[in-house]
Amino acid sequence: MAFDPSVNTKASGKAWSLARGYFVILSLPVLFLLLFFLWPLFTVVTRSFGVDEPLFAHFLTVFDRSSYIKVLGYTFQVAATVTVLCLLIAYPVAALIARLRGGWLQISFALILVPFWTSTVIRTYAWMVLFQRKGVINGFLLDLGLVDEPLRLMHNNIGVHIGMVHIMLPFMLLPLISAFRNIDPSFMRAAGVLGANPVRAFWHVYLPLSMPGVSAGVALVFITSLGFYITPALLGGAQNMMVAVLIEQQVSITVNWELASALATLLLLLTVALYILYDRVARRAGAGGVLE
Amino acid sequence: MDEAYKAAYFDSFTEKTGIEIITAPYAGLAKIKSMIEADNVDLDILNIDAAEAPVAGNNGWLEPIDWGLTDRSAVLPAAAWDDHVYAEVAAKVVAWNTDTLGDNPPGGWVDMWNMEAYPGRRSLWKQAFQTLEVALMGDGVPKDQIYPIDVPRGLAALDKIKPELIWWESGGQSAQFLIDGESDVGSTWNGRVYQPKVDGAPVNYTFNDALFVSGAWCVVKGASNVGWSMEFIAHTLEPERQAIYSENIPYGPVVPAALEFIPADRLPLLPSSAENIDKGVWSDFQFWAADGEEVINEFNEWLLS
């Protein structure tokens, strides 16, 4: 709406004080973010360039060490797999929960939120109890005679993925449920009335309308998964090393903060790049970007 | 450990000097570096991992120890340094699950590497330090010749047990693996398996081939109470105080004279008692401070290969 002070001074004065009110309210969180988020981020990025070293020296070290590249690659691969698995599991479950009303809805939310509020370390240890060589699952399988020797459920990729999917599921479920609940059920009925079979109605009506939830869930799960530390450490094996472990080694064992910052900056850049790419693809698919 | 320090050192220091010791959560190298960089040193005395002390020292973050207050020769030579002193003698030991290996206990790392005589799963720390030492001893390197670390040989030794090898990342996990039978034989710290063993868990350990490790007392550069901090460190080195510490926790004194004040039935449990000290070897923290980054990188590359 055009802003013309000469036409209606009263209204514009109101708009002005409203804007000033917003400014005051917003300035606090903005200041907070500047101080406690952007400034540390800025120091990390500047530190990654070092002081006296040639430009990009620490980044070159990262690329020089094959282990670092492998770990970065593994980190993104795990995050991607976990995101896809979470989406596949959460989509139908969330669609079902979104249709529930009353007590069942509350029970469903409790089932999502209670693990969500439980410490990651405790949940990871619980998986260890289940997955161990002499753990609950192997004991059960051996007793039933279904296997001759214990299955290796942890110290490998399987353990890492199950543990991480379990921990990340609420981050996918909650935005999906919220998106599904915003879909007017009459749209699907209308699609049916107009002759679309259920598959077609889902594909052309329900799925596009649910995309904001999918986008939010995917972004949340993927980005959070990139920073995982304890779950892969406890449930994984030799090869399951996340980039957070490398960064921690550089921060607190060898105290090479420049190298740690270079790794962190690289992780940030790759994440932002993927995020922009994802946003583009999502927009092109007509599903709405993450920011919409 | 906090309680043992309190019982042995903090309370008696306050009694003697009227100075209260206020403890803060564990401050590792990252915390020290940020304190020094921000020129905001709010700690005086540090008890950090002995592996961290030479790194801090090499960076110039530590005050020199005032050896005028204590007879340096009364302290184990391996434990006394110019800018830090070890707080105790703990041990990385070979431990095993007694349900599977109780009748056939391994006698050291060489046995852990012997898959035929001691079948079962192995567990080791997923870190280059302490693990490469263990691997070299397992491969038959005499314990006084493990430094400087022969990295290729250590990794080749780890390759030999790799199919049966699982990794732990925290001290609690190292003991839990052995107690739960997740692993049959592996490395852990003696303090981690001592109490479970006493409580009847199916776990046992030996000090043979032990790798001695420790915490280290040091004083941060620019601390506001350097003088009293040095007095405190001297206080911890009094034999009677060291003895009380070792009665509260199964870690040995760094001052041999303290052994006289410790009940005889306690001595077999302490890594630095007369009967145990020659069974093991000190971890060379100076080696790791100098070459650690390179070796850690090689170890990581091997892990991921």
Short mmCIF file of all heavy atoms in Angstrom, two decimals, chain A residues 148-193:
data_model
loop_
_atom_site.label_atom_id
_atom_site.label_comp_id
_atom_site.label_asym_id
_atom_site.label_seq_id
_atom_site.Cartn_x
_atom_site.Cartn_y
_atom_site.Cartn_z
N ASP A 148 21.82 -67.72 14.77
CA ASP A 148 22.75 -68.61 15.48
C ASP A 148 23.74 -67.82 16.32
O ASP A 148 24.17 -68.27 17.38
CB ASP A 148 23.51 -69.48 14.48
CG ASP A 148 22.56 -70.43 13.77
OD1 ASP A 148 21.55 -70.81 14.39
OD2 ASP A 148 22.81 -70.78 12.59
N GLU A 149 24.14 -66.67 15.79
CA GLU A 149 25.04 -65.83 16.57
C GLU A 149 24.53 -64.40 16.54
O GLU A 149 23.79 -64.02 15.63
CB GLU A 149 26.47 -65.93 16.05
CG GLU A 149 26.63 -65.62 14.58
CD GLU A 149 28.08 -65.84 14.17
OE1 GLU A 149 28.50 -66.99 14.00
OE2 GLU A 149 28.78 -64.83 14.05
N PRO A 150 24.91 -63.62 17.56
CA PRO A 150 24.34 -62.27 17.67
C PRO A 150 24.57 -61.42 16.42
O PRO A 150 25.64 -61.47 15.82
CB PRO A 150 25.07 -61.68 18.89
CG PRO A 150 26.09 -62.64 19.31
CD PRO A 150 25.82 -63.95 18.65
N LEU A 151 23.58 -60.67 16.04
CA LEU A 151 23.71 -59.74 14.91
C LEU A 151 24.51 -58.53 15.36
O LEU A 151 24.45 -58.13 16.51
CB LEU A 151 22.32 -59.28 14.46
CG LEU A 151 21.36 -60.33 13.94
CD1 LEU A 151 20.01 -59.69 13.63
CD2 LEU A 151 21.92 -61.01 12.70
N ARG A 152 25.23 -57.96 14.42
CA ARG A 152 25.98 -56.75 14.75
C ARG A 152 25.10 -55.54 14.43
O ARG A 152 25.05 -55.08 13.29
CB ARG A 152 27.28 -56.72 13.94
CG ARG A 152 28.38 -56.04 14.69
CD ARG A 152 29.74 -56.43 14.15
NE ARG A 152 30.70 -55.40 14.51
CZ ARG A 152 31.95 -55.67 14.86
NH1 ARG A 152 32.38 -56.89 14.89
NH2 ARG A 152 32.77 -54.69 15.17
N LEU A 153 24.40 -55.07 15.43
CA LEU A 153 23.43 -54.00 15.22
C LEU A 153 24.02 -52.62 15.49
O LEU A 153 23.46 -51.61 15.11
CB LEU A 153 22.21 -54.21 16.12
CG LEU A 153 21.44 -55.51 15.85
CD1 LEU A 153 20.47 -55.79 16.99
CD2 LEU A 153 20.70 -55.44 14.53
N MET A 154 25.14 -52.61 16.24
CA MET A 154 25.79 -51.32 16.47
C MET A 154 27.27 -51.43 16.12
O MET A 154 27.69 -52.45 15.59
CB MET A 154 25.59 -50.83 17.90
CG MET A 154 26.00 -51.79 18.97
SD MET A 154 25.54 -51.17 20.60
CE MET A 154 27.02 -50.26 21.04
N HIS A 155 28.04 -50.37 16.38
CA HIS A 155 29.42 -50.25 15.93
C HIS A 155 29.47 -50.23 14.40
O HIS A 155 30.43 -50.68 13.80
CB HIS A 155 30.30 -51.40 16.43
CG HIS A 155 30.14 -51.67 17.90
ND1 HIS A 155 30.43 -50.74 18.85
CD2 HIS A 155 29.70 -52.76 18.56
CE1 HIS A 155 30.18 -51.25 20.04
NE2 HIS A 155 29.73 -52.47 19.89
N ASN A 156 28.41 -49.81 13.76
CA ASN A 156 28.40 -49.75 12.30
C ASN A 156 27.36 -48.72 11.84
O ASN A 156 26.71 -48.07 12.65
CB ASN A 156 28.09 -51.13 11.71
CG ASN A 156 26.79 -51.69 12.24
OD1 ASN A 156 25.91 -50.96 12.69
ND2 ASN A 156 26.65 -53.00 12.17
N ASN A 157 27.20 -48.65 10.51
CA ASN A 157 26.26 -47.70 9.92
C ASN A 157 24.82 -47.91 10.36
O ASN A 157 24.07 -46.95 10.51
CB ASN A 157 26.33 -47.86 8.40
CG ASN A 157 26.96 -46.65 7.75
OD1 ASN A 157 26.76 -45.54 8.23
ND2 ASN A 157 27.70 -46.85 6.69
N ILE A 158 24.43 -49.17 10.53
CA ILE A 158 23.04 -49.48 10.90
C ILE A 158 22.69 -48.78 12.21
O ILE A 158 21.68 -48.08 12.31
CB ILE A 158 22.84 -51.01 11.07
CG1 ILE A 158 23.20 -51.75 9.77
CG2 ILE A 158 21.40 -51.32 11.48
CD1 ILE A 158 23.22 -53.26 9.94
N GLY A 159 23.55 -48.97 13.20
CA GLY A 159 23.30 -48.37 14.50
C GLY A 159 23.19 -46.86 14.42
O GLY A 159 22.28 -46.25 15.00
N VAL A 160 24.13 -46.24 13.69
CA VAL A 160 24.14 -44.78 13.57
C VAL A 160 22.82 -44.30 12.95
O VAL A 160 22.19 -43.35 13.45
CB VAL A 160 25.33 -44.31 12.69
CG1 VAL A 160 25.26 -42.82 12.46
CG2 VAL A 160 26.65 -44.68 13.34
N HIS A 161 22.39 -44.96 11.88
CA HIS A 161 21.19 -44.50 11.18
C HIS A 161 19.94 -44.69 12.03
O HIS A 161 19.12 -43.78 12.12
CB HIS A 161 21.05 -45.22 9.83
CG HIS A 161 21.94 -44.63 8.78
ND1 HIS A 161 23.24 -45.02 8.62
CD2 HIS A 161 21.74 -43.65 7.88
CE1 HIS A 161 23.79 -44.32 7.64
NE2 HIS A 161 22.90 -43.47 7.18
N ILE A 162 19.80 -45.85 12.66
CA ILE A 162 18.60 -46.07 13.48
C ILE A 162 18.56 -45.05 14.62
O ILE A 162 17.54 -44.41 14.88
CB ILE A 162 18.55 -47.52 14.00
CG1 ILE A 162 18.39 -48.49 12.83
CG2 ILE A 162 17.40 -47.69 15.00
CD1 ILE A 162 18.37 -49.94 13.21
N GLY A 163 19.70 -44.89 15.28
CA GLY A 163 19.75 -43.96 16.40
C GLY A 163 19.42 -42.53 15.97
O GLY A 163 18.63 -41.84 16.62
N MET A 164 20.01 -42.12 14.86
CA MET A 164 19.79 -40.73 14.43
C MET A 164 18.37 -40.51 13.91
O MET A 164 17.76 -39.48 14.19
CB MET A 164 20.82 -40.33 13.37
CG MET A 164 22.18 -40.01 13.97
SD MET A 164 23.41 -39.51 12.76
CE MET A 164 22.75 -37.94 12.21
N VAL A 165 17.83 -41.48 13.17
CA VAL A 165 16.46 -41.33 12.67
C VAL A 165 15.50 -41.21 13.85
O VAL A 165 14.61 -40.36 13.87
CB VAL A 165 16.07 -42.52 11.76
CG1 VAL A 165 14.57 -42.56 11.54
CG2 VAL A 165 16.79 -42.43 10.42
N HIS A 166 15.73 -42.05 14.86
CA HIS A 166 14.85 -42.00 16.04
C HIS A 166 14.91 -40.63 16.72
O HIS A 166 13.88 -40.07 17.10
CB HIS A 166 15.28 -43.10 17.02
CG HIS A 166 14.65 -42.99 18.36
ND1 HIS A 166 15.39 -42.81 19.51
CD2 HIS A 166 13.35 -43.00 18.75
CE1 HIS A 166 14.56 -42.73 20.53
NE2 HIS A 166 13.33 -42.84 20.11
N ILE A 167 16.12 -40.09 16.84
CA ILE A 167 16.25 -38.81 17.52
C ILE A 167 15.69 -37.66 16.68
O ILE A 167 15.12 -36.70 17.20
CB ILE A 167 17.73 -38.57 17.91
CG1 ILE A 167 18.06 -39.47 19.10
CG2 ILE A 167 18.00 -37.12 18.26
CD1 ILE A 167 19.51 -39.70 19.34
N MET A 168 15.81 -37.77 15.35
CA MET A 168 15.38 -36.66 14.49
C MET A 168 13.90 -36.72 14.10
O MET A 168 13.36 -35.73 13.59
CB MET A 168 16.24 -36.61 13.22
CG MET A 168 17.69 -36.23 13.44
SD MET A 168 17.93 -34.84 14.56
CE MET A 168 17.08 -33.56 13.67
N LEU A 169 13.24 -37.86 14.32
CA LEU A 169 11.84 -37.98 13.86
C LEU A 169 10.91 -36.86 14.33
O LEU A 169 10.14 -36.34 13.52
CB LEU A 169 11.27 -39.34 14.27
CG LEU A 169 11.30 -40.44 13.19
CD1 LEU A 169 10.74 -41.73 13.74
CD2 LEU A 169 10.52 -40.01 11.95
N PRO A 170 10.95 -36.45 15.59
CA PRO A 170 10.05 -35.37 16.00
C PRO A 170 10.24 -34.09 15.19
O PRO A 170 9.27 -33.37 14.92
CB PRO A 170 10.40 -35.14 17.47
CG PRO A 170 11.04 -36.40 17.92
CD PRO A 170 11.71 -36.97 16.73
N PHE A 171 11.48 -33.82 14.78
CA PHE A 171 11.75 -32.61 14.00
C PHE A 171 11.08 -32.67 12.64
O PHE A 171 10.84 -31.65 12.01
CB PHE A 171 13.26 -32.43 13.80
CG PHE A 171 14.00 -32.08 15.05
CD1 PHE A 171 14.49 -33.08 15.88
CD2 PHE A 171 14.20 -30.77 15.42
CE1 PHE A 171 15.17 -32.77 17.04
CE2 PHE A 171 14.88 -30.45 16.57
CZ PHE A 171 15.36 -31.46 17.39
N MET A 172 10.82 -33.87 12.14
CA MET A 172 10.12 -34.03 10.88
C MET A 172 8.61 -34.08 11.12
O MET A 172 7.82 -33.48 10.40
CB MET A 172 10.60 -35.32 10.19
CG MET A 172 10.09 -35.51 8.79
SD MET A 172 10.69 -34.25 7.65
CE MET A 172 12.23 -34.97 7.11
N LEU A 173 8.21 -34.80 12.17
CA LEU A 173 6.78 -35.01 12.44
C LEU A 173 6.06 -33.69 12.74
O LEU A 173 4.98 -33.43 12.20
CB LEU A 173 6.60 -35.96 13.62
CG LEU A 173 6.74 -37.45 13.31
CD1 LEU A 173 6.85 -38.26 14.60
CD2 LEU A 173 5.54 -37.93 12.49
N LEU A 174 6.66 -32.87 13.59
CA LEU A 174 5.93 -31.69 14.06
C LEU A 174 5.60 -30.70 12.94
O LEU A 174 4.44 -30.31 12.81
CB LEU A 174 6.68 -31.02 15.22
CG LEU A 174 6.75 -31.89 16.49
CD1 LEU A 174 7.66 -31.27 17.54
CD2 LEU A 174 5.36 -32.13 17.06
N PRO A 175 6.57 -30.31 12.08
CA PRO A 175 6.18 -29.41 10.98
C PRO A 175 5.21 -30.07 10.00
O PRO A 175 4.32 -29.39 9.46
CB PRO A 175 7.51 -29.06 10.29
CG PRO A 175 8.52 -29.94 10.87
CD PRO A 175 8.02 -30.50 12.14
N LEU A 176 5.35 -31.39 9.80
CA LEU A 176 4.44 -32.08 8.87
C LEU A 176 3.01 -32.06 9.41
O LEU A 176 2.06 -31.75 8.68
CB LEU A 176 4.90 -33.52 8.64
CG LEU A 176 6.03 -33.73 7.63
CD1 LEU A 176 6.41 -35.20 7.55
CD2 LEU A 176 5.64 -33.21 6.26
N ILE A 177 2.88 -32.40 10.69
CA ILE A 177 1.53 -32.43 11.28
C ILE A 177 0.89 -31.05 11.16
O ILE A 177 -0.27 -30.90 10.78
CB ILE A 177 1.59 -32.88 12.75
CG1 ILE A 177 2.02 -34.34 12.83
CG2 ILE A 177 0.24 -32.69 13.43
CD1 ILE A 177 2.31 -34.83 14.23
N SER A 178 1.70 -30.02 11.47
CA SER A 178 1.17 -28.66 11.42
C SER A 178 0.73 -28.31 10.00
O SER A 178 -0.32 -27.69 9.79
CB SER A 178 2.24 -27.71 11.96
OG SER A 178 2.24 -26.53 11.26
N ALA A 179 1.51 -28.74 8.98
CA ALA A 179 1.14 -28.46 7.59
C ALA A 179 -0.12 -29.23 7.21
O ALA A 179 -1.02 -28.68 6.57
CB ALA A 179 2.29 -28.83 6.66
N PHE A 180 -0.20 -30.49 7.62
CA PHE A 180 -1.35 -31.32 7.26
C PHE A 180 -2.64 -30.79 7.87
O PHE A 180 -3.71 -30.86 7.28
CB PHE A 180 -1.15 -32.77 7.72
CG PHE A 180 -0.10 -33.50 6.93
CD1 PHE A 180 0.61 -34.55 7.50
CD2 PHE A 180 0.18 -33.16 5.63
CE1 PHE A 180 1.57 -35.22 6.79
CE2 PHE A 180 1.15 -33.84 4.89
CZ PHE A 180 1.85 -34.87 5.49
N ARG A 181 -2.51 -30.27 9.08
CA ARG A 181 -3.72 -29.77 9.76
C ARG A 181 -4.24 -28.51 9.09
O ARG A 181 -5.40 -28.14 9.28
CB ARG A 181 -3.44 -29.54 11.24
CG ARG A 181 -3.38 -30.84 12.03
CD ARG A 181 -3.07 -30.61 13.49
NE ARG A 181 -4.20 -30.01 14.21
CZ ARG A 181 -5.21 -30.70 14.70
NH1 ARG A 181 -5.27 -32.01 14.54
NH2 ARG A 181 -6.18 -30.10 15.35
N ASN A 182 -3.38 -27.85 8.30
CA ASN A 182 -3.82 -26.66 7.60
C ASN A 182 -4.48 -26.97 6.25
O ASN A 182 -4.94 -26.07 5.56
CB ASN A 182 -2.64 -25.71 7.36
CG ASN A 182 -2.26 -25.01 8.66
OD1 ASN A 182 -3.11 -24.79 9.51
ND2 ASN A 182 -0.99 -24.68 8.80
N ILE A 183 -4.41 -28.26 5.86
CA ILE A 183 -5.01 -28.62 4.57
C ILE A 183 -6.50 -28.86 4.79
O ILE A 183 -6.89 -29.70 5.59
CB ILE A 183 -4.35 -29.89 3.99
CG1 ILE A 183 -2.85 -29.63 3.75
CG2 ILE A 183 -5.04 -30.30 2.70
CD1 ILE A 183 -2.10 -30.85 3.29
N ASP A 184 -7.30 -28.10 4.07
CA ASP A 184 -8.75 -28.23 4.21
C ASP A 184 -9.19 -29.58 3.61
O ASP A 184 -8.94 -29.83 2.43
CB ASP A 184 -9.41 -27.06 3.44
CG ASP A 184 -10.89 -26.96 3.75
OD1 ASP A 184 -11.49 -28.00 4.08
OD2 ASP A 184 -11.43 -25.84 3.64
N PRO A 185 -9.81 -30.46 4.43
CA PRO A 185 -10.19 -31.78 3.92
C PRO A 185 -11.14 -31.69 2.71
O PRO A 185 -11.18 -32.61 1.88
CB PRO A 185 -10.90 -32.45 5.09
CG PRO A 185 -10.69 -31.57 6.26
CD PRO A 185 -10.23 -30.24 5.81
N SER A 186 -11.86 -30.57 2.60
CA SER A 186 -12.81 -30.46 1.49
C SER A 186 -12.09 -30.41 0.14
O SER A 186 -12.68 -30.73 -0.89
CB SER A 186 -13.70 -29.23 1.68
OG SER A 186 -12.91 -28.08 1.74
N PHE A 187 -10.82 -30.00 0.13
CA PHE A 187 -10.06 -29.98 -1.12
C PHE A 187 -9.96 -31.38 -1.72
O PHE A 187 -10.12 -31.58 -2.91
CB PHE A 187 -8.65 -29.43 -0.91
CG PHE A 187 -8.60 -27.95 -0.64
CD1 PHE A 187 -7.41 -27.33 -0.28
CD2 PHE A 187 -9.75 -27.17 -0.76
CE1 PHE A 187 -7.37 -25.98 -0.03
CE2 PHE A 187 -9.71 -25.80 -0.51
CZ PHE A 187 -8.51 -25.21 -0.14
N MET A 188 -9.67 -32.36 -0.83
CA MET A 188 -9.54 -33.73 -1.31
C MET A 188 -10.90 -34.25 -1.80
O MET A 188 -10.99 -34.96 -2.79
CB MET A 188 -8.99 -34.64 -0.21
CG MET A 188 -7.52 -34.45 0.09
SD MET A 188 -6.45 -34.89 -1.30
CE MET A 188 -6.29 -36.65 -1.04
N ARG A 189 -11.95 -33.87 -1.06
CA ARG A 189 -13.30 -34.29 -1.47
C ARG A 189 -13.63 -33.66 -2.83
O ARG A 189 -14.12 -34.32 -3.73
CB ARG A 189 -14.33 -33.87 -0.43
CG ARG A 189 -14.34 -34.76 0.81
CD ARG A 189 -15.69 -34.68 1.52
NE ARG A 189 -16.00 -33.32 1.98
CZ ARG A 189 -15.54 -32.82 3.14
NH1 ARG A 189 -14.78 -33.55 3.94
NH2 ARG A 189 -15.85 -31.60 3.49
N ALA A 190 -13.24 -32.38 -2.98
CA ALA A 190 -13.51 -31.68 -4.25
C ALA A 190 -12.78 -32.37 -5.39
O ALA A 190 -13.33 -32.58 -6.47
CB ALA A 190 -13.06 -30.23 -4.14
N ALA A 191 -11.53 -32.76 -5.14
CA ALA A 191 -10.75 -33.45 -6.17
C ALA A 191 -11.46 -34.74 -6.56
O ALA A 191 -11.55 -35.09 -7.75
CB ALA A 191 -9.34 -33.75 -5.66
N GLY A 192 -12.00 -35.44 -5.55
CA GLY A 192 -12.71 -36.69 -5.83
C GLY A 192 -13.98 -36.43 -6.64
O GLY A 192 -14.25 -37.12 -7.63
N VAL A 193 -14.72 -35.40 -6.23
CA VAL A 193 -15.95 -35.05 -6.93
C VAL A 193 -15.65 -34.72 -8.38
O VAL A 193 -16.39 -35.07 -9.30
CB VAL A 193 -16.65 -33.86 -6.23
CG1 VAL A 193 -17.79 -33.32 -7.11
CG2 VAL A 193 -17.16 -34.27 -4.87
#
